[in-house]
Amino acid sequence: MKGGNYGEKMTFNYFYGTEADLFSFYRIPKALFTDSYFKDLSSDAKILYGLMLDRMSLSIKNQWFDDKNRAYIYFSIEDIMELLNCGRNKAIKSMRELDDETGIGLIEKRRQGFGKVNVIYVKTFMPEKTDEKRFDSDNRSEDYQAYENLVKETIDYESLEVTHHDDMRQVDEIVNLIVETVMCKNDKILIASNWYPASLVKKKFLILTYSHIEYVLHCMSGNTTKVKNIKKYLLAALFNAPSTMNGYYQAEVNHDMPGLVR
């Protein structure tokens, strides 16, 4: 093959309609590319952070929470080498860029002893304010505005205004709910009938994208039963969107075009 070492060249098809939503994607916060604070972070480190955020889903499944309800993951150098398709030196360098001791502080490692994989706490990309800064600021109003701006940027609010003009009242309700949840001071947050660590819920809400919001809007428009508690419904829909969206759209394709499904 000319121009690469890929063997026999494959032919790739176009995306049609909403087909892109049928696939699984790793999510990298848009802020890592748009916020000047992260400008010196390498692309490999940004990708690694996205991979670590994705690994957080195992924290729920395996109940990897410490005595303070903080979620953690296991992520070895070998894992990084395999997923980034890189050598040990680059894997270590990318990890060091994210580490709180040697880099920007987006992860914190806890050693478990010789021969054991480190425990890794993946931190939110929204920096905490010091008590002094909180005291001098206009407290909640400034914090709310900062989170609102971040959420709107992450979900591509401007594009939603174009593609879902008639749904913007609901979009604004969703944005407000995300911000309120992220700013919640409780240790745990009730989603449907289950309590989850607040840190875990906040991380999931802060990486919601345009596609997730569109999915939630689609679910709401297709719901034929009366929703007694819209806030409770939206919380559950937003929390579950990353794990249920692909299956939902695939089921719709199977229903609408059964002849294409083997």
Side-chain angles (χ1 to χ4, degrees), residues 52-234:
M52 288 183 167
L53 283 178
D54 183 75
R55 184 66 62 89
M56 289 287 286
S57 62
L58 288 178
S59 298
I60 303 176
K61 180 178 179 181
N62 297 323
Q63 295 294 297
W64 290 340
F65 310 123
D66 64 14
D67 55 1
K68 296 181 180 178
N69 283 323
R70 296 178 301 186
Y72 59 84
I73 65 172
Y74 295 100
F75 215 102
S76 67
I77 294 297
E78 287 70 26
D79 290 334
I80 301 173
M81 292 169 61
E82 180 179 354
L83 289 169
L84 291 183
N85 191 27
C86 68
R88 179 171 291 272
N89 288 343
K90 178 174 283 189
I92 293 174
K93 179 179 180 295
S94 298
M95 178 81 84
R96 288 176 62 86
E97 284 189 66
L98 298 176
D99 191 30
D100 62 335
E101 294 182 356
T102 58
I104 202 166
L106 284 172
I107 65 170
E108 179 183 333
K109 293 186 296 185
R110 293 287 176 88
R111 294 173 177 81
Q112 296 194 98
F114 181 76
K116 294 184 178 180
V117 179
N118 293 333
V119 163
I120 297 178
Y121 293 94
V122 183
K123 297 185 175 182
T124 177
F125 47 91
M126 279 292 291
E128 285 188 327
K129 292 185 178 180
T130 63
D131 291 338
E132 181 179 355
K133 287 182 178 179
R134 286 185 182 277
F135 181 79
D136 293 336
S137 71
D138 189 18
N139 287 337
R140 196 166 181 84
S141 61
E142 286 192 7
D143 288 348
Y144 189 96
Q145 188 62 56
Y147 277 116
E148 184 181 58
N149 291 340
L150 175 65
V151 169
K152 285 185 174 181
E153 182 178 10
T154 306
I155 67 172
D156 198 355
Y157 184 87
E158 292 183 355
S159 293
L160 286 168
E161 286 184 304
V162 176
T163 58
H164 293 274
H165 177 74
D166 295 334
D167 300 319
M168 289 313 296
R169 182 175 178 180
Q170 290 180 322
V171 172
D172 288 335
E173 290 177 356
I174 290 172
V175 170
N176 291 336
L177 182 57
I178 293 174
V179 175
E180 288 177 7
T181 303
V182 169
M183 294 183 66
C184 177
K185 302 300 182 183
N186 297 334
D187 293 331
K188 294 184 178 181
I189 296 175
L190 182 64
I191 304 291
S193 300
N194 299 309
W195 288 96
Y196 293 94
S199 58
L200 184 62
V201 177
K202 293 175 184 180
K203 283 183 174 69
K204 292 193 71 170
F205 275 35
L206 283 172
I207 59 174
L208 292 171
T209 65
Y210 171 95
S211 294
H212 297 128
I213 304 305
E214 189 173 55
Y215 161 69
V216 171
L217 291 172
H218 193 77
C219 289
M220 292 179 68
S221 64
N223 183 35
T224 57
T225 59
K226 183 177 181 180
V227 179
K228 295 181 179 179
N229 188 328
I230 187 63
K231 182 175 181 179
K232 183 178 180 180
Y233 176 90
L234 282 175

